[in-house]
Amino acid sequence: MALLIILTFLSAFLLFQIELVIAKLFLPNYGGSYLVWGACIVFFQAVLLSGYVFAHWLLRRLGTSGYLKLHLWLLFIPLLFFPLRDFHLSFTGNSLPLVLDIFWRLIVTIGPVFFVLSTMSMVTQSWLAASLLKGRDNPYGLYAVSNLGSFTALLTYPFVFEQYLTNTEQLQIWRVLYLILAFGNVLAWRLIKIDGQPIPIDIGHSEAEGRRISMRSFAQPALERSEGLRMTENVLLRWLCLGAAGVVMFMSVTNIITYEVAPVPLLWVIPLGIYLMAFVFNFKKNPWCPSWIIRSIGPIIGLQAMMYFLAQKHFLPVILVIILLCAFLFFICMYTQHQLIRAKPSSSRQMTLFYVMISLGGFLGGILTSWIIPLISNTLIEYLVGLLLVALMIPPAKVRLPLWQSCLCALLALSAFFVWPYYFKEYHLWSFVLLWMVVGFSFLALASDKKFLAVVLFGIILATPWLESIWQNVHFIIKKRNYYGIYEVYDSSHGVRVLIHGTTLHGIEFLDEGKRRIPLGYYSPVSAIGSLLIADVFQAKRLGVVGLGTGALSMYAKPGCPIDYYELDGDVKNLASDYFWYLADAPGEVNVILGDARLSLNKAPDGAYDLLAIDAFSGDSIPTHLVNKDVLVEYRRKLAPRGGIVFHITNRYLNLEPVLAKIAADSGAYVAVKDVGDQGINMRSIWCILTWDDERFLELITRQNWQPLDILSKDQGRIWTDDYSTILPIINMGELAISLKSFKLLTW
C-alpha cells in the first residue's frame, strides 16, 4: 500500500512540475501573454483526458493484470524522446493562433511523457482495487494522494525550484525523478499481487438527504451488463458539469489575478493549488467539507459574482481583492468536489468512467475559458459562467419559496448589481454591509430554486458589458479582447482619452485638438523619458521603442530622428491609429513593426539605435524575458557604441531596480534611475537607464537628475537570464503594506 501511495504521489508531482516548467519556458515566446498558462492548462487537460480514456478502455478489455504489463512498457517508451533526450524550443514566428501554436509545440516536446504520467492515478487506483491489500475497499483515497502530490509540486515550485534552480537544472532533477518512478513501478509489479475481482466500494452518505445513496441513483438495473452497470445520463452529465465548473472557476480567477499583476508561476499556482486541495479534502479516506459551505452555496455564488464587479471599482487594496477571490474560489471548489464524491459510482468497475467524465468536463471547461470566451467576449465573463455552472448543479431543495417570493428575491438581487454603484461612488463601511447583506440574503433564498438562481446569473452575464460601465463609471468608446488581454478606450471627465490594458494605463491624450500634440502621463515633457529625449543626451539619430501603447513617444520624433516601434499585438496598432492622434501627428518619421520584439530586433542592423526604450507591459510589469542578461546582449548589439537602454519599470507590485542593477553590474554598464511623481500632466513613472558611456552617464546624473543605483546594495539574488527568473525577491511588500495601511476599513 505504501509503495502505491509513493508512486501515485510522485507521478502527480512530476505531472504538475513539468506543467509549470514548460509553461514558463513557453511564456517568453508569446509576449508574456496571460493566456499562455491557460492554453497550456487546456493541453494538459486534453492529454489527461486521453490518458484516462486510454486506461479506462484497456482496463476494461485487458483487466488490471493484463494492463499492468502494458503499463510497464509505456513507462519506458518516453525515454526514447524527452526526458532522456533534450528538447530545444525554436521559435521563428507563430503562423498559427496562439493556443493552437502552443498545443502543437507541447505535443512534439512533452506530449508522450505527459500522456504516460496522466494514466498513473487511474492505474494505481485500479491496481489497489484489484489487489489483496488492506485499502482495496476505498481506492479513491489514492486520488486524494494524487492531488496532494500535485499540490506539493505547485507549492514547492515558486518557493524552491524556481527560486534556487535554473530551468535546465529543474529539468535534470525531473529526469532523475522520472527514472525513479519508472523503476518503482517495476518493483511494485513484482511485490503487489493481483486478485482480479473488483469489489463494491462504499459510496458514503448524502449530507443533503441524510441517508445512504442507493445504487439506483447511479445506474439503470435494466441495463446491467456482465462488466458492471451502465450509468444514467443524468449522473454522467452531473460528473461532466461538476468537473467543468471547478476548472472554469480556478482558471478564471487565475486570469483575473495574473491580468492584475503579472503572468508568472507564483500567481498561477495559487488558484490551481486551491482547486487541488479541495480534491484532497473531499477524496481522502474520511472526506471533509464543512456543512455550512453546502448550506450557504447560494450566498457564496452571489457574493462571488458581486466580487467580480467590486474589484473593478478599485475600492479595496489589490492584496485584499486577491484574498477574497481565492477564499470564495476555495468555497466553490469544496462544494463542487463534495458533490462529485457524493455522486461517485458504487462499483470499482465504474471508477475509471467516473474519472474520464471528470476529466472530460475539465477539458471542456478549459476550452471554454481559454479558447472560446476570449474570442466572443470583451470581458472576463468566464468567471460568471463558472458560477452559472455551479448553480445548475445545486440539488433540488426540500422546500421551495412561493413564486412571488422568488421573483422578489430575484428583483432584489438584480437591483443590488444595477443600483448600488449609482449611489455609492466611494467606499464606506455601511454601503458594503448593505451590499453584502442584500446579495447574501437574496441569493440564499434563490438557492432554494436553482432555476431562479440560474436565470438571475444568466441575466447578469448578458448585462455584464453594461454593468462594467456602471461599476467603473465610464462609457467605453471601444472594448476589445484578444489572447493578449482586454483593451478599453474611453473619454475621461478630465478632458483626456484613455487606453487601458487590463488594469494598466497604456496612454492618455488630450481631447482638445489644440493640445493633443502634448504627450501626457508617463511620457510627458517632465517625465524621465520625456526630459531625456528633449535634452537629446544621446544625440539620437534613431530611436527604438519596444511597446507601442498609444504612441505618445511619437511626439519626440524629429525629421532627422525617426522612431521604430516594436509591437507584438496588431490590435494595439489599430487602436493607436484609429482612436489616438500621436502617430498621425508625429513631427517626424514613425514606423510600427509588428511581431515579437526580440525576433524583430534581430532583423534590425547592428548599431542602428542610439537609444532603446523598453516599454512593453504584460499585466502590470515588463515581461521577464525582456529584462534579463541574455536579452541585454541582443539589445546592446543593436545599440550604437555610445548609446543607452532605458527601461520603464513603473510598477505597483514589483521592484525591478535590483534586477537591472544586477544585470548592469554583470555587463559593466552604468545604471541610474529617475522617479518623477504626479505633477500636472505628468503621471508618476520610474525609468531606469543603462549605458556604457561614462561622459553621457555623468551628464545624466549631474544635469538630468538621474540617481545612480548602488549596485552592491541592490545585489539581491541570482541574475536573471532566459534560463532563470523569479519574482519572489522583488515583490514590493512595502507598497502592498502601504495599500493595506491606507485602506480605512471602518470609513463611515
Side-chain angles (χ1 to χ4, degrees):
M1 180 68 177
L3 184 54
L4 285 180
I5 290 175
I6 292 171
L7 294 177
T8 304
F9 181 92
L10 181 57
S11 63
F13 181 90
L14 291 174
L15 192 73
F16 276 75
Q17 184 85 178
I18 198 63
E19 284 186 22
L20 292 163
V21 175
I22 200 72
K24 186 177 179 182
L25 288 173
F26 274 42
L27 190 65
N29 302 284
Y30 296 94
S33 168
Y34 76 108
L35 277 176
V36 167
W37 174 240
C40 289
I41 283 288
V42 174
F43 170 81
F44 301 141
Q45 289 168 332
V47 178
L48 191 67
L49 173 62
S50 62
Y52 278 10
V53 171
F54 176 82
H56 168 71
W57 184 71
L58 283 180
L59 280 166
R60 286 294 186 89
R61 279 150 182 78
L62 302 179
T64 304
S65 181
Y67 180 83
L68 286 177
K69 297 175 183 177
L70 174 63
H71 171 69
L72 294 177
W73 284 102
L74 287 175
L75 280 167
F76 288 94
I77 288 176
L79 298 181
L80 299 174
F81 310 98
F82 175 81
L84 282 192
R85 295 178 61 182
D86 288 329
F87 63 84
H88 301 283
L89 298 177
S90 176
F91 294 84
T92 56
N94 305 327
S95 57
L96 296 173
L98 181 145
V99 290
L100 293 178
D101 197 70
I102 290 174
F103 239 63
W104 170 247
R105 296 185 189 278
L106 286 168
I107 288 172
V108 299
T109 52
I110 65 166
V113 70
F114 199 91
F115 174 82
V116 173
L117 286 172
S118 70
T119 66
M120 276 296 302
S121 176
M122 189 178 292
V123 169
T124 54
Q125 289 180 75
S126 299
W127 202 340
L128 177 59
S131 73
L132 299 173
L133 297 175
K134 183 179 179 181
R136 64 183 299 214
D137 60 326
N138 185 25
Y140 291 103
L142 286 182
Y143 192 61
V145 171
S146 175
N147 283 283
L148 183 61
S150 303
F151 179 78
T152 304
L154 295 176
L155 188 64
T156 57
Y157 186 79
F159 297 104
V160 179
F161 290 90
E162 186 186 36
Q163 175 82 348
Y164 299 108
L165 302 171
T166 65
N167 297 330
T168 302
E169 292 166 344
Q170 293 169 31
L171 289 174
Q172 293 294 350
I173 293 174
W174 195 93
R175 289 183 172 97
V176 173
L177 292 176
Y178 183 82
L179 288 174
I180 293 173
L181 175 71
F183 286 105
N185 273 266
V186 174
L187 179 62
W189 182 70
R190 294 180 64 88
L191 295 178
I192 300 175
K193 304 302 180 183
I194 300 299
D195 179 24
Q197 297 295 325
I199 63 173
I201 299 171
D202 181 18
I203 59 175
H205 291 77
S206 167
E207 292 181 26
E209 300 174 3
R211 59 182 177 82
R212 183 173 296 276
I213 303 173
S214 68
M215 189 177 297
R216 190 175 300 274
S217 302
F218 306 109
Q220 297 174 344
L223 298 178
E224 185 173 353
R225 294 182 175 180
S226 60
E227 72 274 11
L229 298 173
R230 181 184 294 175
M231 312 309 292
T232 64
E233 292 182 3
N234 286 342
V235 174
L236 294 177
L237 181 62
R238 186 167 184 80
W239 293 346
L240 182 78
C241 291
L242 286 170
V247 169
V248 171
M249 287 311 304
F250 96 73
M251 289 185 67
S252 59
V253 171
T254 305
N255 287 347
I256 293 172
I257 294 176
T258 57
Y259 203 39
E260 172 75 25
V261 184
V264 291
L266 177 62
L267 299 178
W268 293 341
V269 304
I270 297 172
L272 182 52
I274 291 171
Y275 171 76
L276 293 174
M277 280 309 296
F279 268 115
V280 173
F281 289 138
N282 284 280
F283 278 74
K284 63 189 183 73
K285 185 175 181 180
N286 298 307
W288 175 80
C289 180
S291 58
W292 67 264
I293 291 180
I294 311 305
R295 295 193 303 269
S296 306
I297 189 59
I300 288 171
I301 290 174
L303 293 174
Q304 193 163 2
M306 179 269 295
M307 276 301 304
Y308 173 80
F309 297 101
L310 196 60
Q312 300 179 26
K313 291 190 77 71
H314 303 293
F315 282 166
L316 307 177
V318 65
I319 189 68
L320 186 56
V321 171
I322 291 175
I323 290 172
L324 288 172
L325 286 172
C326 290
F328 281 119
L329 174 64
F330 176 74
F331 300 150
I332 288 289
C333 288
M334 286 295 288
Y335 179 82
T336 56
Q337 269 61 298
H338 171 77
Q339 294 298 320
L340 278 172
I341 198 62
R342 283 184 58 200
K344 69 183 180 182
S346 59
S347 169
S348 62
R349 293 187 179 92
Q350 299 296 345
M351 181 176 62
T352 54
L353 178 61
F354 176 60
Y355 290 126
V356 166
M357 295 307 295
I358 294 175
S359 180
L360 177 59
F363 171 68
L364 294 176
I367 287 286
L368 180 69
T369 306
S370 293
W371 290 32
I372 298 176
I373 291 182
L375 297 180
I376 65 173
S377 172
N378 290 329
T379 67
L380 292 168
I381 207 168
E382 58 266 26
Y383 186 86
L384 299 173
V385 172
L387 294 177
L388 178 59
L389 279 173
V390 177
L392 291 172
M393 292 298 104
I394 296 177
K398 293 181 180 179
V399 179
R400 294 187 181 182
L401 291 179
L403 179 62
W404 70 270
Q405 291 185 14
S406 296
C407 291
L408 181 62
C409 289
L411 182 62
L412 190 62
L414 290 172
S415 297
F417 283 87
F418 284 91
V419 176
W420 187 87
Y422 272 122
Y423 289 94
F424 300 101
K425 305 295 184 183
E426 297 180 359
Y427 169 84
H428 59 81
L429 177 63
W430 293 115
S431 69
F432 265 52
V433 171
L434 175 64
L435 178 64
W436 282 60
M437 287 180 63
V438 170
V439 172
F441 282 115
S442 59
F443 274 83
L444 177 63
L446 288 171
S448 66
D449 189 340
K450 68 179 180 182
K451 292 180 181 178
F452 271 93
L453 181 59
V455 167
V456 169
L457 287 171
F458 188 69
I460 292 172
I461 290 171
L462 290 179
T464 292
W466 182 28
L467 281 170
E468 288 193 351
S469 294
I470 295 173
W471 281 76
Q472 295 181 40
N473 196 28
V474 297
H475 172 70
F476 298 112
I477 297 173
I478 186 173
K479 193 167 186 176
K480 184 174 183 59
R481 182 178 183 182
N482 61 21
Y483 288 127
Y484 298 104
I486 299 174
Y487 301 97
E488 300 168 343
V489 178
Y490 63 89
D491 292 340
S492 136
S493 58
H494 300 292
V496 295
R497 177 161 292 178
V498 180
L499 172 63
I500 299 287
H501 179 213
T503 60
T504 303
L505 188 145
H506 268 222
I508 54 178
E509 179 182 81
F510 275 124
L511 291 173
D512 187 339
E513 187 173 346
K515 298 180 180 179
R516 71 187 188 196
R517 293 193 177 191
I518 303 174
L520 305 177
Y522 308 133
Y523 316 100
S524 76
V526 299
S527 67
I529 186 67
S531 58
L532 179 68
L533 292 173
I534 291 172
D536 198 15
V537 174
F538 289 90
Q539 301 173 11
K541 297 181 177 61
R542 196 170 198 94
L543 174 65
V545 182
V546 176
L548 174 60
T550 58
L553 289 178
S554 302
M555 292 297 101
Y556 298 102
K558 294 176 288 190
C561 179
I563 295 179
D564 294 337
Y565 284 104
Y566 293 91
E567 174 57 48
L568 177 66
D569 190 354
D571 285 332
V572 173
K573 179 184 177 182
N574 295 335
L575 292 171
S577 301
D578 296 343
Y579 298 95
F580 296 86
W581 291 95
Y582 289 133
L583 294 179
D585 288 358
E589 180 185 350
V590 173
N591 306 300
V592 180
I593 302 161
L594 293 178
D596 179 83
R598 291 183 67 167
L599 294 175
S600 300
L601 266 173
N602 280 333
K603 299 175 183 177
D606 289 350
Y609 299 108
D610 298 288
L611 189 67
L612 268 175
I614 312 303
D615 187 35
F617 275 69
S618 180
D620 192 50
S621 176
I622 299 177
T624 57
H625 69 287
L626 295 180
V627 191
N628 65 50
K629 171 184 175 180
D630 296 320
V631 73
L632 187 71
V633 174
E634 299 175 19
Y635 293 154
R636 195 174 179 186
R637 192 165 59 247
K638 305 303 172 184
L639 205 63
R642 301 188 64 193
I645 307 171
V646 60
F647 294 85
H648 188 185
I649 61 171
T650 308
N651 193 278
R652 290 169 288 178
Y653 315 115
L654 305 179
N655 177 19
L656 287 169
E657 288 183 17
V659 175
L660 287 168
K662 188 79 173 175
I663 294 170
D666 178 80
S667 65
Y670 300 100
V671 58
V673 67
K674 189 172 183 179
D675 182 350
V676 180
D678 294 323
Q679 47 181 284
I681 62 173
N682 185 73
M683 294 179 62
R684 187 196 176 193
S685 61
I686 307 171
W687 295 77
C688 185
I689 194 165
L690 276 70
T691 183
W692 291 261
D693 187 278
D694 52 356
E695 292 182 11
R696 288 176 173 171
F697 181 73
L698 183 63
E699 183 176 351
L700 287 171
I701 60 177
T702 56
R703 298 183 181 179
Q704 296 296 314
N705 297 321
W706 288 75
Q707 302 299 316
L709 280 181
D710 185 345
I711 293 176
L712 294 179
S713 68
K714 297 293 183 182
D715 186 8
Q716 298 179 15
R718 199 168 183 170
I719 189 169
W720 282 16
T721 66
D722 283 340
D723 201 35
Y724 175 84
S725 64
T726 176
I727 69 167
L728 272 179
I730 64 166
I731 294 177
N732 198 338
M733 298 303 298
E735 189 71 26
L736 291 173
I738 289 172
S739 68
L740 283 174
K741 288 179 180 178
S742 61
F743 174 61
K744 300 185 184 305
L745 177 64
L746 300 179
T747 300
W748 290 37

